[in-house]
Amino acid sequence: MRVKYIFLFILAITYSSALAQDVTEQEIKNNYAIASDNMDYKKYNEAIPALNWLLKNAPSFSQSVQDWSIQVFETIANETGDKQRKLVLLDSMLIAFESKREYFGLSDLAKNKLAFRYYKYFRNSPEKYEEAYEAFVDVFKKPETVINNNLVPYIYMAKQYDAANKTLSIDQKNKIYDDIQGEVATRKANNGNASRLDNYMSNVDNLYIRLLGDDISCDAMTRLAGGLSRSDSVKVSKRLMSITLDTKCGRTTEYEKALGILARNEPNPGLFKILAQYSAVDKKYKEAISYYQKALALEVDDVKKANIYFDIAQLYYIDMDKPAARKNALASIELDPKGSAKAYSFIGNLYMSSFNECSEGNNPVEDRAVFFVAYEMFEKAKDVAGMEEAQKQFPTKSEAFNHNMIAGDAISVGCWINAKTKVRTRSSN
């Protein structure tokens, strides 16, 4: 106790030059001693009057005054059941922090503690949002000093502040995200707890989207794509797909990577169909067909399966495999007879396009038999325009007669078509 009072005496001498006329050295020493004794015995309620007096009348006397005040006001605030008293105590705690800043300066750790207390106690208090936001901005001026517990609260309080005041620009919002993401990446690179840091960033991603609100853009997608390499990459992928739909960003590298992750981890027909469409656009037809076949394996609805078969048929046609194209078109018809018109027309066009490869040049009626079977397909599709185009290619009656044939005679079509049909003719040229 003797050492404490010797220290008190030295402080009193140092402080005497700044002493107000109506405050005596003895009053300061007495109140400091009362506060000190009660702090020693954790009698925090009893310490409050002396601490309040010192904060008001001798704030620069000793840094202990502010440190004790912060500790006392916060501790009692957490213990009291009186909501109004709790608010008063927490406000007093903030005043003690600011008093310490004014007279002694705040260390980086103290700034972190102040910012976190705004989040802990005032995250739903609009009147404190601006102060809270500024406290976090101050902390992140030195991101390397930020405690882990303040990584998520920063963007949370920014969201609260902007929601209430609409004052943050897109650049400010992006900078907040970039500052946090950059520091998390640095800590992971320095062997920080990767799982915990990934969890922080997952929460930060969610809050970033909410912070952007209507300002969300394709630029945000690029930022969020960093999460595709995290442990929660599936969640990130779903988020990116949603953003793509909302912003109409279209096909991007990030979107394709997200699709691939979801296709591997949570496959569904829709994902594989999108991948197939992208491959088809890139003229990677075999790859596209492979994706469609994966979609088929997962699809349970017959009509949807029929549509997939038809998509595959079209790709085989583009890839110059007409037998496979017809096979898949017929599979589409079998699964969805009511919607078969387009598939029948498709097969009709397959036959129409096969004249050059199937004709042998010996018999014009036999060579033009591809148009007979094409007509039959168009007829099943009720495709009048297709029927008319096929009819234009029929041999004339005289051509058929010259080869000992008349309309209605049976005839076989060879080549890849390998079908039986009947002779059809037109009146004249």
Side-chain angles (χ1 to χ4, degrees), residues 183-196:
E183 190 52 36
V184 167
T186 297
R187 294 181 190 195
K188 286 182 71 174
N190 291 331
N191 299 315
N193 187 318
S195 177
R196 180 180 297 174

Side-chain angles (χ1 to χ4, degrees), residues 37-52:
D37 287 342
N38 282 305
M39 291 302 295
D40 284 344
Y41 292 101
K42 292 184 170 44
K43 295 181 179 181
Y44 294 157
N45 276 301
E46 288 82 349
I48 287 179
L51 290 172
N52 280 332

Side-chain angles (χ1 to χ4, degrees), residues 118-167:
Y118 272 112
Y119 169 75
K120 183 177 181 180
Y121 299 118
F122 301 104
R123 60 175 174 262
N124 295 311
S125 302
E127 71 280 2
K128 291 287 194 296
Y129 289 163
E130 185 172 4
E131 298 170 29
Y133 172 70
E134 289 176 351
F136 278 102
V137 170
D138 191 31
V139 166
F140 271 81
K141 288 176 181 176
K142 293 183 179 179
E144 71 278 2
T145 70
V146 175
I147 60 175
N148 282 349
N149 282 350
N150 274 341
L151 294 170
V152 178
Y154 180 23
I155 196 166
Y156 181 91
M157 293 311 299
K159 175 190 69 67
Q160 294 291 81
Y161 174 51
D162 187 65
N165 300 283
K166 302 297 180 186
T167 57

Side-chain angles (χ1 to χ4, degrees), residues 411-429:
I411 190 171
S412 295
V413 184
C415 196
W416 71 269
I417 297 174
N418 194 26
K420 294 183 182 298
T421 184
K422 64 182 179 180
V423 174
R424 297 174 185 272
T425 62
R426 56 189 169 89
S427 298
S428 65
N429 292 330

Side-chain angles (χ1 to χ4, degrees), residues 86-109:
K86 181 172 185 174
L87 290 175
V88 171
L89 288 164
L90 290 174
D91 272 333
S92 297
M93 175 194 70
L94 295 179
I95 290 170
F97 266 110
E98 292 308 319
S99 177
K100 183 177 180 180
R101 185 199 302 273
E102 180 179 355
Y103 293 102
F104 304 101
L106 292 179
S107 67
D108 293 330
L109 181 58

Side-chain angles (χ1 to χ4, degrees), residues 17 26 65 72 94 106 176 223 243-244 254 311 342 355 362 390 416:
S17 62
Q26 191 58 49
V65 172
V72 166
L94 295 179
L106 292 179
I176 291 169
R223 283 181 162 79
I243 291 174
T244 298
E254 294 83 6
D311 289 333
K342 62 181 181 182
F355 176 76
N362 298 320
W416 71 269

